[in-house]
Each structure stands twice: as C-alpha cells, then as structure tokens.
Amino acid sequence: MTAAQKAKAEADAVKVIARNKKARHDYHIEDTYEAGLALMGTEVKALRMGRASLNEAWVELWRGEAWLQGAMIPEYLNGSWTNHTPKRKRKLLLHKRELAKLARGVAAKGYTVIPLELYFVRGRAKVQIALAHGKHEWDKRQALKEAQDKRETARALAERNRR
C-alpha cells in the first residue's frame, strides 16, 4: 500500500467522537439513520479535539425538520467571543423521505428518536440516530442475563479448547 493509499484510507476511516452507551440498554432499536449536522466553526474544532457527550441528548421532530437537543459540545478552548453555546439545539440534515419515516414512527405510540453515535466520516461530522421504543425493566434484566450466559458459554468453550 502506497503512502497516498494509506492517507486516503485514514481520511475515509470513521472517527468516533461520542457514543450513547445507555441507548442500547434502555431502548429496542428499530431503524438507524446517518444524519449530517449543521455546526458552527468552533463546534467542529471542539469535536476534532474529541470533546462531546450524547448522554442526555434526544432528537426532536418539529415542522418537518429534525433537531438534536441536549447534546453537550463544550466551548472551544481557543475560541473568542464567537464561541458557541455548549447545549444549543443543532439541526440534523436528513432526506425528506427519511424525515417522513421518522415522523410516522414517532406518531406510533411509545416510539422516539435517539442519537447513538457522533463521528467524523471523510472530515464531515455525522450522527447516527435510531427510531426506538423504551424497554421495560424486565426486558433490561433479560438482556443482561442473556449477555452473561453468552459470556459464560464462550468462556467454557475457550477453556475446553485449551485442553
């Protein structure tokens, strides 16, 4: 692989900035979408430094547009008076048909749109969002039990294969 090919591969690689770890624990994920973000310059610089949090974030559909609310992108340290507000709402860039699908999904009882990941692809900030519905407490316990059983099975097989 030449140096130019390596540089292109690095540029095309997905660089994850923030993950919403609790989302897959608290929700059943139905569909996922990749959306662009309308950001200010200082927000992009803060994201390139790897500073963001999606822990308390949600997506709101309003007047045919999708907005990311509650996402924390701290102020850029070297910014001036033009710095952004850390928890401002940010517009998500989606196709009309994707917005229509999300709107139909949210109209169904119990469904919501949540952000899963914030990342860079080819130098552009993207957010992965999902149409999801909340899990009950027993669903969460069941999922934890299944994951634990899976780990124990893998551990037993690994132990058996060592002998």
Side-chain angles (χ1 to χ4, degrees):
M1 189 180 272
T2 66
Q5 289 173 331
K6 283 183 184 177
K8 182 170 179 3
E10 277 184 25
D12 289 346
V14 174
K15 296 174 184 133
V16 177
I17 301 160
R19 274 197 179 96
N20 189 351
K21 295 178 183 175
K22 293 285 283 179
R24 294 190 191 276
H25 176 71
D26 292 342
Y27 295 94
H28 290 289
I29 306 298
E30 298 293 322
D31 290 329
T32 59
Y33 301 91
E34 182 180 72
L37 277 167
L39 298 172
M40 295 174 65
T42 55
E43 288 174 319
V44 175
K45 289 180 179 187
L47 287 177
R48 289 199 190 284
M49 292 174 64
R51 304 179 65 211
S53 173
L54 293 175
N55 290 342
E56 300 171 6
W58 73 95
V59 176
E60 185 176 287
L61 300 175
W62 187 64
R63 293 188 181 179
E65 295 178 337
W67 296 86
L68 180 64
Q69 304 250 359
M72 176 69 169
I73 300 176
E75 289 184 353
Y76 180 56
L77 297 176
N78 299 326
S80 63
W81 58 273
T82 59
N83 243 339
H84 63 276
T85 308
K87 281 200 170 186
R88 75 179 188 92
K89 67 181 195 177
R90 295 161 179 94
K91 187 174 180 179
L92 295 178
L93 308 172
L94 290 160
H95 292 283
K96 263 188 191 175
R97 66 181 178 280
E98 292 173 334
L99 283 168
K101 272 186 178 178
L102 287 172
R104 281 193 306 270
V106 170
K109 186 177 179 190
Y111 281 85
T112 186
V113 182
I114 56 169
L116 298 175
E117 283 187 341
L118 184 61
Y119 52 91
F120 279 107
V121 177
R122 287 184 234 117
R124 302 204 187 284
K126 304 284 184 178
V127 64
Q128 183 181 31
I129 59 174
L131 182 64
H133 63 94
K135 286 184 181 178
H136 297 287
E137 196 63 37
W138 58 270
D139 281 337
K140 294 177 191 178
R141 284 194 299 265
Q142 182 74 21
L144 288 173
K145 186 177 185 307
E146 288 173 3
Q148 184 179 2
D149 291 345
K150 193 174 181 181
R151 275 194 306 274
E152 288 175 4
T153 305
R155 200 175 292 139
L157 285 173
E159 182 66 33
R160 184 174 168 217
N161 289 336
R162 282 190 199 143
R163 293 179 189 172

